[in-house]
Amino acid sequence: MKLQAALLLLAAACIAGACASAPGMQGTMSLDFLTHVKDKLVPLIEQGATAVTIPDITQGISVTPIGPVTMTLSDLTVTEMVIGTSAVALQPPDTVYGSCSDFDAHITAGWSYRGDWWPHISDSGTLDVAVTKSSFGLYIALGMDSFGKPTIVVSKCDVSIGDLDIELHGGASWLYQIFIDIFSGLIQKEFQKALASMLPKIANEIITVVMGAYPVQENITDTVAVNFAFTQAPTITTTAITCHYLGEFFLLNDPTPPPYSPGTLPTSVTTEMLQFFLDQYVALTLGWALFEADYLQFYVTQDEIPEDYQSFLNTTTYRLLLPQLYMHFPNAAMAVNFYVTEAPVSYILGPPTSGGTIALNANMEVQAYDAASQAYTEAFVLSTLSEIAGNVEIERNATITAQLTLLNVTVKVVDSKIGNFNPDIIEDTVNLVLRVILDAANKIAGVGFHLPVVYGMEFTDPSVLWFDGYLGLSTNISYTAPTMCWN
């Protein structure tokens, strides 16, 4: 239990330490991106405004010929808010400004008065208020916490209430105009005060729901995960926001930093709403983490080989090509213990190659079934250096997938129990085994991992861009806002 706790603390410390590292990945959101998201969130603010609480208002006034009275406005309720013209602007170094230059609202309330002197004349009724030509502005501060998770908080709110059109119901009609003049100023003041207090709470609650699903970490296997912690606070210019992610794969039970460093990444190369840039560091750390987790080991028997090629794993096939193998193990089933000997090395190349390549050093321990011992035993060991091409695709749900293809392989004999031989003799078998292994690897690579985007975001026309040393992903987006429950 103590060891588990220590590992968790170490993992937390490493994630927190990511804040000081160079990013392995960057993402840039344009003003068009922010405007699209803003348009989807505006209805939530309109809905949330109906939860704005305006306190009861009590005011002493003198009404001719009644004299002094105590007037009360109660149950003031915002029944509707309609946001007209809205906009979003960026204010470096850390602020997003969301504004509405024209919103309308509707308020209902009960009104009553009671004379302060005997005989205490009283009356009551209801009122409707149409609010027009009003505006507000929200100042939203962007940052990150000590664990590299983004922070988004409304730091300030300005509200200006414009015109009020009040309609009274019930009571003495000759008093309406007096009450309207008094009510107008009171309601305007209290509504403005309540809205300035509640709008930041409404916006922050929306932000909490939207960002609640933000992934700082995604587990790829039961022992390997990718860390999307921020390495620094978002960079804001007047035209875009750029987020800086660690983009590092690591072992869940031993989050030691990998022995690589990312290069320098751009912030923008297209005009689309959203762009991501992944340094080849991301692929390097993936290979390193899988190697350290012993995931790059495969045991291939005839059962893993397509039926038409299963004869390649029987010594009879090599009776003439490699007779000493058949002499030692006549008509024996074969198996291959494939294990990578060092972390794969990945390269990302721009035009004209426009793709990724992986250099994979591995050993193939070729075994044959020994009838005497009734067990598989080593026949020989091959050292292989494979060059593998990697093609990347980006899905509409923000998932990165890959497909691996064998380009070529160099083979050497490093140990043999059956004597020396030319490894070119079994070139077809080596290629077959490698393709079987790549098929298994492609099932995992085809699942891929998700980019760090919030729930409800879909990529509409994603494209992959290749550069020397890094990969670019560019897309427009469609966002579906969450459902809110307002009390």
Side-chain angles (χ1 to χ4, degrees):
M1 191 68 180
K2 290 181 179 179
L3 177 59
Q4 184 181 22
L7 289 172
L8 289 173
L9 287 172
L10 180 59
C14 287
I15 292 175
C19 301
S21 304
M25 183 170 73
Q26 291 191 153
T28 297
M29 298 166 282
S30 70
L31 270 177
D32 286 343
F33 174 100
L34 298 172
T35 299
H36 174 80
V37 173
K38 178 265 299 178
D39 290 342
K40 299 299 182 177
L41 296 180
V42 160
L44 299 185
I45 296 177
E46 293 174 332
Q47 296 165 17
T50 60
V52 170
T53 302
I54 305 174
D56 291 351
I57 302 170
T58 300
Q59 180 77 30
I61 62 171
S62 181
V63 180
T64 304
I66 300 173
V69 300
T70 299
M71 180 193 66
T72 300
L73 293 175
S74 59
D75 298 324
L76 289 102
T77 303
V78 180
T79 61
E80 184 182 34
M81 182 180 189
V82 178
I83 294 176
T85 304
S86 62
V88 61
L90 296 173
Q91 299 179 352
D94 61 0
T95 300
V96 178
Y97 180 64
S99 63
C100 168
S101 59
D102 181 20
F103 78 84
D104 299 338
H106 182 261
I107 300 171
T108 62
W111 65 267
S112 65
Y113 76 88
R114 184 175 186 272
D116 295 342
W117 298 344
W118 186 88
H120 303 295
I121 296 174
S122 63
D123 204 350
S124 63
T126 61
L127 59 80
D128 288 279
V129 184
V131 181
T132 58
K133 300 180 181 178
S134 301
S135 63
F136 68 82
L138 296 171
Y139 297 82
I140 306 168
L142 273 58
M144 71 174 190
D145 64 19
S146 60
F147 291 97
K149 187 171 182 177
T151 58
I152 307 175
V153 179
V154 176
S155 58
K156 181 182 176 184
C157 177
D158 295 328
V159 176
S160 176
I161 302 300
D163 296 340
L164 272 64
D165 183 10
I166 301 176
E167 183 178 352
L168 297 180
H169 311 285
S173 60
W174 60 274
L175 288 174
Y176 282 4
Q177 191 56 51
I178 297 175
F179 281 0
I180 287 175
D181 292 342
I182 297 171
F183 290 164
S184 182
L186 294 175
I187 294 174
Q188 184 180 48
K189 177 183 176 182
E190 292 301 324
F191 182 44
Q192 181 167 304
K193 183 179 177 181
L195 207 56
S197 173
M198 285 296 294
L199 273 179
K201 296 178 183 178
I202 293 168
N204 283 329
E205 189 169 342
I206 293 171
I207 291 168
T208 298
V209 172
V210 169
M211 296 302 295
Y214 176 83
V216 173
Q217 174 181 309
E218 181 180 347
N219 292 359
I220 305 302
T221 70
D222 56 349
T223 57
V224 175
V226 58
N227 187 348
F228 292 124
F230 280 23
T231 60
Q232 66 182 74
T235 301
I236 295 181
T237 68
T238 56
T239 58
I241 300 174
T242 297
C243 298
H244 316 273
Y245 311 92
L246 187 60
E248 177 183 286
F249 287 86
F250 67 99
L251 298 176
L252 288 167
N253 61 351
D254 180 20
T256 302
Y260 312 107
S261 298
T264 301
L265 292 171
T267 58
S268 179
V269 295
T270 73
T271 59
E272 291 185 298
M273 290 181 177
L274 180 63
Q275 301 170 68
F276 278 100
F277 301 96
L278 286 74
D279 191 88
Q280 62 190 19
Y281 171 84
V282 178
L284 285 167
T285 62
L286 173 59
W288 175 83
L290 292 174
F291 173 72
E292 292 292 326
D294 294 329
Y295 264 90
L296 302 182
Q297 299 183 19
F298 302 88
Y299 194 73
V300 181
T301 66
Q302 283 185 330
D303 291 338
E304 280 75 46
I305 300 293
E307 186 175 352
D308 291 345
Y309 298 94
Q310 289 184 353
S311 62
F312 279 81
L313 289 186
N314 187 288
T315 58
T316 302
T317 300
Y318 308 97
R319 184 174 184 176
L320 299 178
L321 293 173
L322 194 56
Q324 61 266 47
L325 174 63
Y326 184 80
M327 290 175 58
H328 280 79
F329 307 98
N331 192 27
M334 298 166 62
V336 178
N337 182 22
F338 178 94
Y339 54 96
V340 175
T341 55
E342 59 184 71
V345 179
S346 300
Y347 303 92
I348 295 177
L349 303 173
T353 303
S354 294
T357 61
I358 302 170
L360 188 69
N361 284 287
N363 283 350
M364 284 189 182
E365 180 188 343
V366 179
Q367 304 171 349
Y369 188 78
D370 179 38
S373 63
Q374 295 187 342
Y376 282 92
T377 185
E378 177 189 321
F380 53 86
V381 178
L382 304 175
S383 171
T384 65
L385 173 58
S386 302
E387 183 183 4
I388 300 168
N391 184 47
V392 172
E393 293 186 356
I394 179 71
E395 307 293 336
R396 292 173 66 91
N397 66 351
T399 300
I400 294 182
T401 63
Q403 286 294 300
L404 307 176
T405 305
L406 180 65
L407 295 178
N408 59 70
V409 58
T410 302
V411 183
K412 295 180 181 179
V413 179
V414 295
D415 186 33
S416 177
K417 308 299 184 185
I418 61 172
N420 295 329
F421 65 92
N422 185 346
D424 291 346
I425 293 173
I426 57 169
E427 178 182 358
D428 289 343
T429 303
V430 170
N431 285 332
L432 175 63
V433 170
L434 285 172
R435 285 186 169 85
V436 169
I437 292 170
L438 286 182
D439 285 345
N442 279 330
K443 291 179 181 178
I444 300 174
V447 175
F449 66 93
H450 290 86
L451 289 168
V453 298
V454 296
Y455 180 80
M457 187 168 297
E458 183 178 83
F459 295 176
T460 57
D461 49 0
S463 59
V464 178
L465 309 171
W466 297 92
F467 302 91
D468 287 338
Y470 64 92
L471 183 72
L473 305 169
S474 181
T475 184
N476 291 314
I477 62 107
S478 176
Y479 178 62
T480 301
T483 300
M484 302 291 296
C485 182
W486 304 101
N487 296 324

